[in-house]
PDB file of all heavy atoms in Angstrom:
ATOM      1  N   VAL A   1       8.686 107.462 148.839  1.00 97.00           N
ATOM      2  CA  VAL A   1       7.878 108.676 148.807  1.00 97.00           C
ATOM      3  C   VAL A   1       8.562 109.716 147.898  1.00 97.00           C
ATOM      4  O   VAL A   1       9.782 109.946 148.022  1.00 97.00           O
ATOM      5  CB  VAL A   1       7.718 109.308 150.211  1.00 97.00           C
ATOM      6  CG1 VAL A   1       6.827 110.563 150.133  1.00 97.00           C
ATOM      7  CG2 VAL A   1       7.139 108.304 151.193  1.00 97.00           C
ATOM      8  N   GLU A   2       7.785 110.315 146.995  1.00 96.00           N
ATOM      9  CA  GLU A   2       8.271 111.516 146.303  1.00 96.00           C
ATOM     10  C   GLU A   2       7.695 112.717 147.052  1.00 96.00           C
ATOM     11  O   GLU A   2       6.493 112.980 146.982  1.00 96.00           O
ATOM     12  CB  GLU A   2       7.788 111.532 144.860  1.00 96.00           C
ATOM     13  CG  GLU A   2       8.255 110.346 144.029  1.00 96.00           C
ATOM     14  CD  GLU A   2       7.135 109.322 143.843  1.00 96.00           C
ATOM     15  OE1 GLU A   2       6.111 109.389 144.568  1.00 96.00           O
ATOM     16  OE2 GLU A   2       7.280 108.424 142.988  1.00 96.00           O
ATOM     17  N   ALA A   3       8.520 113.401 147.819  1.00 95.00           N
ATOM     18  CA  ALA A   3       8.081 114.479 148.674  1.00 95.00           C
ATOM     19  C   ALA A   3       8.255 115.851 147.983  1.00 95.00           C
ATOM     20  O   ALA A   3       9.382 116.189 147.621  1.00 95.00           O
ATOM     21  CB  ALA A   3       8.830 114.479 149.997  1.00 95.00           C
ATOM     22  N   THR A   4       7.168 116.558 147.813  1.00 92.00           N
ATOM     23  CA  THR A   4       7.209 117.775 146.992  1.00 92.00           C
ATOM     24  C   THR A   4       7.265 119.067 147.768  1.00 92.00           C
ATOM     25  O   THR A   4       7.485 120.122 147.212  1.00 92.00           O
ATOM     26  CB  THR A   4       5.952 117.844 146.102  1.00 92.00           C
ATOM     27  OG1 THR A   4       4.786 117.889 146.922  1.00 92.00           O
ATOM     28  CG2 THR A   4       5.878 116.611 145.187  1.00 92.00           C
ATOM     29  N   SER A   5       7.086 118.992 149.103  1.00 89.00           N
ATOM     30  CA  SER A   5       7.018 120.206 149.907  1.00 89.00           C
ATOM     31  C   SER A   5       7.764 120.029 151.219  1.00 89.00           C
ATOM     32  O   SER A   5       8.012 118.880 151.651  1.00 89.00           O
ATOM     33  CB  SER A   5       5.573 120.577 150.191  1.00 89.00           C
ATOM     34  OG  SER A   5       4.969 119.596 151.027  1.00 89.00           O
ATOM     35  N   PRO A   6       8.139 121.105 151.905  1.00 89.00           N
ATOM     36  CA  PRO A   6       8.854 120.981 153.170  1.00 89.00           C
ATOM     37  C   PRO A   6       8.099 120.155 154.195  1.00 89.00           C
ATOM     38  O   PRO A   6       8.696 119.416 154.965  1.00 89.00           O
ATOM     39  CB  PRO A   6       9.026 122.436 153.629  1.00 89.00           C
ATOM     40  CG  PRO A   6       9.024 123.221 152.353  1.00 89.00           C
ATOM     41  CD  PRO A   6       8.060 122.509 151.449  1.00 89.00           C
ATOM     42  N   GLY A   7       6.746 120.269 154.221  1.00 88.00           N
ATOM     43  CA  GLY A   7       5.980 119.491 155.190  1.00 88.00           C
ATOM     44  C   GLY A   7       6.115 118.002 154.997  1.00 88.00           C
ATOM     45  O   GLY A   7       6.374 117.259 155.970  1.00 88.00           O
ATOM     46  N   SER A   8       5.939 117.530 153.769  1.00 91.00           N
ATOM     47  CA  SER A   8       6.057 116.079 153.506  1.00 91.00           C
ATOM     48  C   SER A   8       7.488 115.613 153.675  1.00 91.00           C
ATOM     49  O   SER A   8       7.745 114.482 154.125  1.00 91.00           O
ATOM     50  CB  SER A   8       5.527 115.756 152.114  1.00 91.00           C
ATOM     51  OG  SER A   8       6.189 116.491 151.118  1.00 91.00           O
ATOM     52  N   GLN A   9       8.448 116.471 153.340  1.00 94.00           N
ATOM     53  CA  GLN A   9       9.861 116.116 153.522  1.00 94.00           C
ATOM     54  C   GLN A   9      10.218 115.946 155.000  1.00 94.00           C
ATOM     55  O   GLN A   9      10.905 114.993 155.376  1.00 94.00           O
ATOM     56  CB  GLN A   9      10.722 117.161 152.820  1.00 94.00           C
ATOM     57  CG  GLN A   9      10.586 117.126 151.296  1.00 94.00           C
ATOM     58  CD  GLN A   9      10.962 118.391 150.610  1.00 94.00           C
ATOM     59  OE1 GLN A   9      11.459 119.351 151.226  1.00 94.00           O
ATOM     60  NE2 GLN A   9      10.717 118.467 149.304  1.00 94.00           N
ATOM     61  N   HIS A  10       9.681 116.832 155.803  1.00 94.00           N
ATOM     62  CA  HIS A  10       9.925 116.727 157.255  1.00 94.00           C
ATOM     63  C   HIS A  10       9.318 115.445 157.813  1.00 94.00           C
ATOM     64  O   HIS A  10       9.906 114.770 158.657  1.00 94.00           O
ATOM     65  CB  HIS A  10       9.364 117.963 157.978  1.00 94.00           C
ATOM     66  CG  HIS A  10       9.480 117.872 159.459  1.00 94.00           C
ATOM     67  ND1 HIS A  10      10.677 118.038 160.136  1.00 94.00           N
ATOM     68  CD2 HIS A  10       8.545 117.620 160.419  1.00 94.00           C
ATOM     69  CE1 HIS A  10      10.474 117.892 161.443  1.00 94.00           C
ATOM     70  NE2 HIS A  10       9.192 117.637 161.637  1.00 94.00           N
ATOM     71  N   THR A  11       8.116 115.112 157.341  1.00 93.00           N
ATOM     72  CA  THR A  11       7.441 113.908 157.804  1.00 93.00           C
ATOM     73  C   THR A  11       8.296 112.668 157.478  1.00 93.00           C
ATOM     74  O   THR A  11       8.491 111.797 158.317  1.00 93.00           O
ATOM     75  CB  THR A  11       6.051 113.754 157.189  1.00 93.00           C
ATOM     76  OG1 THR A  11       5.228 114.848 157.623  1.00 93.00           O
ATOM     77  CG2 THR A  11       5.397 112.461 157.592  1.00 93.00           C
ATOM     78  N   CYS A  12       8.798 112.612 156.252  1.00 95.00           N
ATOM     79  CA  CYS A  12       9.654 111.458 155.871  1.00 95.00           C
ATOM     80  C   CYS A  12      10.888 111.388 156.774  1.00 95.00           C
ATOM     81  O   CYS A  12      11.267 110.300 157.228  1.00 95.00           O
ATOM     82  CB  CYS A  12      10.086 111.614 154.409  1.00 95.00           C
ATOM     83  SG  CYS A  12       8.736 111.324 153.216  1.00 95.00           S
ATOM     84  N   GLN A  13      11.509 112.506 157.020  1.00 96.00           N
ATOM     85  CA  GLN A  13      12.727 112.514 157.862  1.00 96.00           C
ATOM     86  C   GLN A  13      12.388 112.031 159.263  1.00 96.00           C
ATOM     87  O   GLN A  13      13.161 111.287 159.883  1.00 96.00           O
ATOM     88  CB  GLN A  13      13.297 113.926 157.882  1.00 96.00           C
ATOM     89  CG  GLN A  13      13.850 114.383 156.523  1.00 96.00           C
ATOM     90  CD  GLN A  13      14.002 115.894 156.432  1.00 96.00           C
ATOM     91  OE1 GLN A  13      13.905 116.608 157.443  1.00 96.00           O
ATOM     92  NE2 GLN A  13      14.229 116.391 155.223  1.00 96.00           N
ATOM     93  N   SER A  14      11.239 112.421 159.768  1.00 95.00           N
ATOM     94  CA  SER A  14      10.864 112.044 161.149  1.00 95.00           C
ATOM     95  C   SER A  14      10.632 110.542 161.280  1.00 95.00           C
ATOM     96  O   SER A  14      10.728 110.001 162.381  1.00 95.00           O
ATOM     97  CB  SER A  14       9.617 112.823 161.590  1.00 95.00           C
ATOM     98  OG  SER A  14       8.454 112.377 160.926  1.00 95.00           O
ATOM     99  N   PHE A  15      10.333 109.854 160.176  1.00 96.00           N
ATOM    100  CA  PHE A  15      10.143 108.410 160.197  1.00 96.00           C
ATOM    101  C   PHE A  15      11.407 107.650 159.777  1.00 96.00           C
ATOM    102  O   PHE A  15      11.357 106.419 159.649  1.00 96.00           O
ATOM    103  CB  PHE A  15       8.966 108.013 159.297  1.00 96.00           C
ATOM    104  CG  PHE A  15       7.616 108.196 159.944  1.00 96.00           C
ATOM    105  CD1 PHE A  15       6.907 109.366 159.783  1.00 96.00           C
ATOM    106  CD2 PHE A  15       7.084 107.183 160.719  1.00 96.00           C
ATOM    107  CE1 PHE A  15       5.686 109.542 160.394  1.00 96.00           C
ATOM    108  CE2 PHE A  15       5.826 107.346 161.320  1.00 96.00           C
ATOM    109  CZ  PHE A  15       5.131 108.531 161.155  1.00 96.00           C
ATOM    110  N   GLY A  16      12.508 108.345 159.616  1.00 97.00           N
ATOM    111  CA  GLY A  16      13.771 107.678 159.343  1.00 97.00           C
ATOM    112  C   GLY A  16      14.068 107.363 157.911  1.00 97.00           C
ATOM    113  O   GLY A  16      14.970 106.585 157.596  1.00 97.00           O
ATOM    114  N   PHE A  17      13.285 107.937 156.973  1.00 98.00           N
ATOM    115  CA  PHE A  17      13.563 107.754 155.558  1.00 98.00           C
ATOM    116  C   PHE A  17      14.918 108.353 155.181  1.00 98.00           C
ATOM    117  O   PHE A  17      15.368 109.352 155.786  1.00 98.00           O
ATOM    118  CB  PHE A  17      12.495 108.427 154.700  1.00 98.00           C
ATOM    119  CG  PHE A  17      11.211 107.681 154.564  1.00 98.00           C
ATOM    120  CD1 PHE A  17      10.281 107.637 155.618  1.00 98.00           C
ATOM    121  CD2 PHE A  17      10.869 107.012 153.390  1.00 98.00           C
ATOM    122  CE1 PHE A  17       9.083 106.946 155.509  1.00 98.00           C
ATOM    123  CE2 PHE A  17       9.689 106.328 153.274  1.00 98.00           C
ATOM    124  CZ  PHE A  17       8.777 106.283 154.301  1.00 98.00           C
ATOM    125  N   THR A  18      15.552 107.776 154.162  1.00 97.00           N
ATOM    126  CA  THR A  18      16.790 108.304 153.619  1.00 97.00           C
ATOM    127  C   THR A  18      16.511 109.144 152.361  1.00 97.00           C
ATOM    128  O   THR A  18      15.733 108.715 151.489  1.00 97.00           O
ATOM    129  CB  THR A  18      17.732 107.138 153.205  1.00 97.00           C
ATOM    130  OG1 THR A  18      18.072 106.409 154.391  1.00 97.00           O
ATOM    131  CG2 THR A  18      18.996 107.639 152.527  1.00 97.00           C
ATOM    132  N   LEU A  19      17.118 110.319 152.287  1.00 98.00           N
ATOM    133  CA  LEU A  19      17.020 111.143 151.086  1.00 98.00           C
ATOM    134  C   LEU A  19      17.852 110.465 150.006  1.00 98.00           C
ATOM    135  O   LEU A  19      19.068 110.366 150.104  1.00 98.00           O
ATOM    136  CB  LEU A  19      17.520 112.555 151.342  1.00 98.00           C
ATOM    137  CG  LEU A  19      17.569 113.491 150.137  1.00 98.00           C
ATOM    138  CD1 LEU A  19      16.190 113.682 149.536  1.00 98.00           C
ATOM    139  CD2 LEU A  19      18.178 114.823 150.544  1.00 98.00           C
ATOM    140  N   ALA A  20      17.180 109.973 148.943  1.00 98.00           N
ATOM    141  CA  ALA A  20      17.859 109.205 147.903  1.00 98.00           C
ATOM    142  C   ALA A  20      18.213 110.022 146.684  1.00 98.00           C
ATOM    143  O   ALA A  20      19.077 109.657 145.891  1.00 98.00           O
ATOM    144  CB  ALA A  20      16.976 108.010 147.492  1.00 98.00           C
ATOM    145  N   HIS A  21      17.520 111.132 146.480  1.00 98.00           N
ATOM    146  CA  HIS A  21      17.832 112.041 145.359  1.00 98.00           C
ATOM    147  C   HIS A  21      16.918 113.255 145.478  1.00 98.00           C
ATOM    148  O   HIS A  21      15.861 113.209 146.112  1.00 98.00           O
ATOM    149  CB  HIS A  21      17.585 111.359 144.025  1.00 98.00           C
ATOM    150  CG  HIS A  21      18.147 112.134 142.860  1.00 98.00           C
ATOM    151  ND1 HIS A  21      19.473 112.536 142.783  1.00 98.00           N
ATOM    152  CD2 HIS A  21      17.563 112.625 141.711  1.00 98.00           C
ATOM    153  CE1 HIS A  21      19.670 113.205 141.657  1.00 98.00           C
ATOM    154  NE2 HIS A  21      18.529 113.278 141.013  1.00 98.00           N
ATOM    155  N   LYS A  22      17.352 114.361 144.878  1.00 97.00           N
ATOM    156  CA  LYS A  22      16.482 115.527 144.817  1.00 97.00           C
ATOM    157  C   LYS A  22      16.762 116.333 143.551  1.00 97.00           C
ATOM    158  O   LYS A  22      17.866 116.295 142.971  1.00 97.00           O
ATOM    159  CB  LYS A  22      16.655 116.421 146.069  1.00 97.00           C
ATOM    160  CG  LYS A  22      17.935 117.225 146.142  1.00 97.00           C
ATOM    161  CD  LYS A  22      17.882 118.118 147.376  1.00 97.00           C
ATOM    162  CE  LYS A  22      19.142 118.973 147.496  1.00 97.00           C
ATOM    163  NZ  LYS A  22      19.054 119.859 148.683  1.00 97.00           N
ATOM    164  N   ILE A  23      15.729 117.035 143.103  1.00 96.00           N
ATOM    165  CA  ILE A  23      15.841 117.929 141.955  1.00 96.00           C
ATOM    166  C   ILE A  23      15.321 119.308 142.398  1.00 96.00           C
ATOM    167  O   ILE A  23      14.172 119.431 142.830  1.00 96.00           O
ATOM    168  CB  ILE A  23      15.039 117.426 140.752  1.00 96.00           C
ATOM    169  CG1 ILE A  23      15.559 116.069 140.311  1.00 96.00           C
ATOM    170  CG2 ILE A  23      15.061 118.430 139.608  1.00 96.00           C
ATOM    171  CD1 ILE A  23      14.722 115.412 139.223  1.00 96.00           C
ATOM    172  N   VAL A  24      16.185 120.297 142.343  1.00 95.00           N
ATOM    173  CA  VAL A  24      15.806 121.642 142.787  1.00 95.00           C
ATOM    174  C   VAL A  24      14.861 122.236 141.752  1.00 95.00           C
ATOM    175  O   VAL A  24      15.124 122.208 140.537  1.00 95.00           O
ATOM    176  CB  VAL A  24      17.067 122.520 142.948  1.00 95.00           C
ATOM    177  CG1 VAL A  24      16.688 123.960 143.318  1.00 95.00           C
ATOM    178  CG2 VAL A  24      17.991 121.927 144.030  1.00 95.00           C
ATOM    179  N   TYR A  25      13.737 122.787 142.218  1.00 93.00           N
ATOM    180  CA  TYR A  25      12.747 123.318 141.310  1.00 93.00           C
ATOM    181  C   TYR A  25      13.286 124.422 140.407  1.00 93.00           C
ATOM    182  O   TYR A  25      12.884 124.549 139.257  1.00 93.00           O
ATOM    183  CB  TYR A  25      11.550 123.846 142.091  1.00 93.00           C
ATOM    184  CG  TYR A  25      10.739 122.779 142.790  1.00 93.00           C
ATOM    185  CD1 TYR A  25      10.294 122.964 144.092  1.00 93.00           C
ATOM    186  CD2 TYR A  25      10.415 121.574 142.163  1.00 93.00           C
ATOM    187  CE1 TYR A  25       9.523 121.987 144.751  1.00 93.00           C
ATOM    188  CE2 TYR A  25       9.671 120.601 142.786  1.00 93.00           C
ATOM    189  CZ  TYR A  25       9.234 120.817 144.085  1.00 93.00           C
ATOM    190  OH  TYR A  25       8.499 119.869 144.725  1.00 93.00           O
ATOM    191  N   ALA A  26      14.194 125.223 140.935  1.00 92.00           N
ATOM    192  CA  ALA A  26      14.744 126.331 140.170  1.00 92.00           C
ATOM    193  C   ALA A  26      15.476 125.859 138.903  1.00 92.00           C
ATOM    194  O   ALA A  26      15.640 126.614 137.956  1.00 92.00           O
ATOM    195  CB  ALA A  26      15.658 127.195 141.022  1.00 92.00           C
ATOM    196  N   ASP A  27      15.881 124.583 138.907  1.00 93.00           N
ATOM    197  CA  ASP A  27      16.592 124.013 137.752  1.00 93.00           C
ATOM    198  C   ASP A  27      15.662 123.340 136.744  1.00 93.00           C
ATOM    199  O   ASP A  27      16.143 122.798 135.745  1.00 93.00           O
ATOM    200  CB  ASP A  27      17.627 122.977 138.250  1.00 93.00           C
ATOM    201  CG  ASP A  27      18.698 123.614 139.115  1.00 93.00           C
ATOM    202  OD1 ASP A  27      18.963 124.802 138.953  1.00 93.00           O
ATOM    203  OD2 ASP A  27      19.276 122.866 139.967  1.00 93.00           O
ATOM    204  N   VAL A  28      14.366 123.405 136.999  1.00 93.00           N
ATOM    205  CA  VAL A  28      13.380 122.782 136.093  1.00 93.00           C
ATOM    206  C   VAL A  28      12.623 123.908 135.394  1.00 93.00           C
ATOM    207  O   VAL A  28      11.999 124.709 136.074  1.00 93.00           O
ATOM    208  CB  VAL A  28      12.382 121.909 136.898  1.00 93.00           C
ATOM    209  CG1 VAL A  28      11.369 121.267 135.956  1.00 93.00           C
ATOM    210  CG2 VAL A  28      13.144 120.825 137.688  1.00 93.00           C
ATOM    211  N   PRO A  29      12.691 123.981 134.076  1.00 91.00           N
ATOM    212  CA  PRO A  29      12.091 125.129 133.368  1.00 91.00           C
ATOM    213  C   PRO A  29      10.665 125.478 133.781  1.00 91.00           C
ATOM    214  O   PRO A  29      10.370 126.631 134.061  1.00 91.00           O
ATOM    215  CB  PRO A  29      12.185 124.707 131.889  1.00 91.00           C
ATOM    216  CG  PRO A  29      13.389 123.857 131.830  1.00 91.00           C
ATOM    217  CD  PRO A  29      13.396 123.081 133.137  1.00 91.00           C
ATOM    218  N   PHE A  30       9.773 124.478 133.836  1.00 88.00           N
ATOM    219  CA  PHE A  30       8.371 124.843 134.134  1.00 88.00           C
ATOM    220  C   PHE A  30       8.126 125.131 135.619  1.00 88.00           C
ATOM    221  O   PHE A  30       7.035 125.565 135.997  1.00 88.00           O
ATOM    222  CB  PHE A  30       7.433 123.750 133.610  1.00 88.00           C
ATOM    223  CG  PHE A  30       7.287 122.518 134.437  1.00 88.00           C
ATOM    224  CD1 PHE A  30       6.230 122.382 135.333  1.00 88.00           C
ATOM    225  CD2 PHE A  30       8.181 121.454 134.320  1.00 88.00           C
ATOM    226  CE1 PHE A  30       6.090 121.227 136.086  1.00 88.00           C
ATOM    227  CE2 PHE A  30       8.040 120.311 135.077  1.00 88.00           C
ATOM    228  CZ  PHE A  30       7.005 120.195 135.973  1.00 88.00           C
ATOM    229  N   LEU A  31       9.160 124.911 136.452  1.00 90.00           N
ATOM    230  CA  LEU A  31       9.058 125.215 137.881  1.00 90.00           C
ATOM    231  C   LEU A  31      10.008 126.290 138.355  1.00 90.00           C
ATOM    232  O   LEU A  31      10.087 126.611 139.542  1.00 90.00           O
ATOM    233  CB  LEU A  31       9.297 123.937 138.702  1.00 90.00           C
ATOM    234  CG  LEU A  31       8.289 122.795 138.505  1.00 90.00           C
ATOM    235  CD1 LEU A  31       8.789 121.557 139.226  1.00 90.00           C
ATOM    236  CD2 LEU A  31       6.922 123.188 139.012  1.00 90.00           C
ATOM    237  N   SER A  32      10.746 126.890 137.426  1.00 88.00           N
ATOM    238  CA  SER A  32      11.809 127.837 137.810  1.00 88.00           C
ATOM    239  C   SER A  32      11.278 129.032 138.583  1.00 88.00           C
ATOM    240  O   SER A  32      12.017 129.638 139.374  1.00 88.00           O
ATOM    241  CB  SER A  32      12.565 128.296 136.551  1.00 88.00           C
ATOM    242  OG  SER A  32      11.683 128.926 135.646  1.00 88.00           O
ATOM    243  N   ALA A  33      10.016 129.384 138.387  1.00 86.00           N
ATOM    244  CA  ALA A  33       9.456 130.546 139.101  1.00 86.00           C
ATOM    245  C   ALA A  33       9.395 130.314 140.616  1.00 86.00           C
ATOM    246  O   ALA A  33       9.334 131.269 141.371  1.00 86.00           O
ATOM    247  CB  ALA A  33       8.054 130.844 138.573  1.00 86.00           C
ATOM    248  N   LEU A  34       9.453 129.058 141.031  1.00 84.00           N
ATOM    249  CA  LEU A  34       9.452 128.783 142.473  1.00 84.00           C
ATOM    250  C   LEU A  34      10.738 129.262 143.156  1.00 84.00           C
ATOM    251  O   LEU A  34      10.724 129.629 144.308  1.00 84.00           O
ATOM    252  CB  LEU A  34       9.241 127.271 142.722  1.00 84.00           C
ATOM    253  CG  LEU A  34       7.916 126.699 142.287  1.00 84.00           C
ATOM    254  CD1 LEU A  34       7.915 125.173 142.400  1.00 84.00           C
ATOM    255  CD2 LEU A  34       6.788 127.282 143.141  1.00 84.00           C
ATOM    256  N   GLY A  35      11.834 129.246 142.398  1.00 80.00           N
ATOM    257  CA  GLY A  35      13.111 129.798 142.893  1.00 80.00           C
ATOM    258  C   GLY A  35      13.606 129.123 144.172  1.00 80.00           C
ATOM    259  O   GLY A  35      13.107 128.107 144.608  1.00 80.00           O
ATOM    260  N   GLY A  36      14.649 129.733 144.759  1.00 84.00           N
ATOM    261  CA  GLY A  36      15.193 129.260 145.993  1.00 84.00           C
ATOM    262  C   GLY A  36      15.739 127.852 145.929  1.00 84.00           C
ATOM    263  O   GLY A  36      16.114 127.372 144.880  1.00 84.00           O
ATOM    264  N   GLN A  37      15.736 127.193 147.079  1.00 87.00           N
ATOM    265  CA  GLN A  37      16.280 125.844 147.189  1.00 87.00           C
ATOM    266  C   GLN A  37      15.184 124.783 147.354  1.00 87.00           C
ATOM    267  O   GLN A  37      15.501 123.630 147.629  1.00 87.00           O
ATOM    268  CB  GLN A  37      17.256 125.760 148.385  1.00 87.00           C
ATOM    269  CG  GLN A  37      18.512 126.585 148.175  1.00 87.00           C
ATOM    270  CD  GLN A  37      19.259 126.163 146.926  1.00 87.00           C
ATOM    271  OE1 GLN A  37      19.575 124.989 146.739  1.00 87.00           O
ATOM    272  NE2 GLN A  37      19.549 127.112 146.049  1.00 87.00           N
TER     273      GLN A  37
END
C-alpha cells in the first residue's frame, strides 16, 4: 500500500503492515505547501 494520509496509514498499521519507506511532503517541491511531518 502507498498510504497518502493519516487515515490510510493508521489502517495499514492496524492490520500489521510494516512501514517500508516514507517521503515527507515538505521535502517535495510540488507538495511543500503541506508542511509539517
Side-chain angles (χ1 to χ4, degrees):
V1 181
E2 301 101 346
T4 61
S5 66
S8 57
Q9 291 157 8
H10 175 74
T11 297
C12 289
Q13 293 161 12
S14 71
F15 279 93
F17 281 76
T18 296
L19 175 61
H21 191 55
K22 72 177 181 178
I23 298 174
V24 177
Y25 292 137
D27 296 334
V28 180
F30 79 97
L31 296 172
S32 59
L34 294 172
Q37 293 302 306

